[in-house]
Amino acid sequence: MAVVVDLDVMLARRKMSVGEFSRRIGLTPANVAVLKNGRAKAVRFSTLDAMCRVLECQPGDVLRWVPDAVDEVAEAIPVG
């Protein structure tokens, strides 16, 4: 499974730069880049709250789950 961060999409929709966004949520531009590029291993709820507040969106607008190919193959194999 993979959780994908669609932060770049939301920033583009809001016409907001990474610099402005990072300032408004209280993260460094480098940490925003980690989120934006999908390299984050975790996100604090307080950070997610700030992201949603600034972007005026729901968590599902920023995060989405995509199954791995292995998960799809395992689901296709009948059990029993």
Side-chain angles (χ1 to χ4, degrees):
M1 104 180 139
V3 175
V4 177
V5 181
D6 287 326
L7 185 55
D8 52 345
V9 173
M10 291 305 297
L11 289 173
R13 285 182 183 164
R14 301 299 189 256
K15 295 180 172 73
M16 189 178 298
S17 69
V18 170
E20 178 185 352
F21 180 71
S22 67
R23 181 184 52 76
R24 290 180 64 185
I25 66 168
L27 290 179
T28 65
N31 283 336
V32 171
V34 168
L35 285 169
K36 192 175 154 212
N37 296 326
R39 294 179 311 212
K41 298 294 180 193
V43 178
R44 292 177 189 242
F45 281 125
S46 58
T47 301
L48 184 57
D49 175 65
M51 291 167 62
C52 290
R53 185 175 20 81
V54 168
L55 295 171
E56 298 178 350
C57 68
Q58 294 294 313
D61 296 328
V62 180
L63 303 174
R64 64 186 163 91
W65 178 78
V66 178
D68 288 337
V70 173
D71 292 340
E72 292 171 1
V73 170
E75 290 175 4
I77 299 172
V79 178

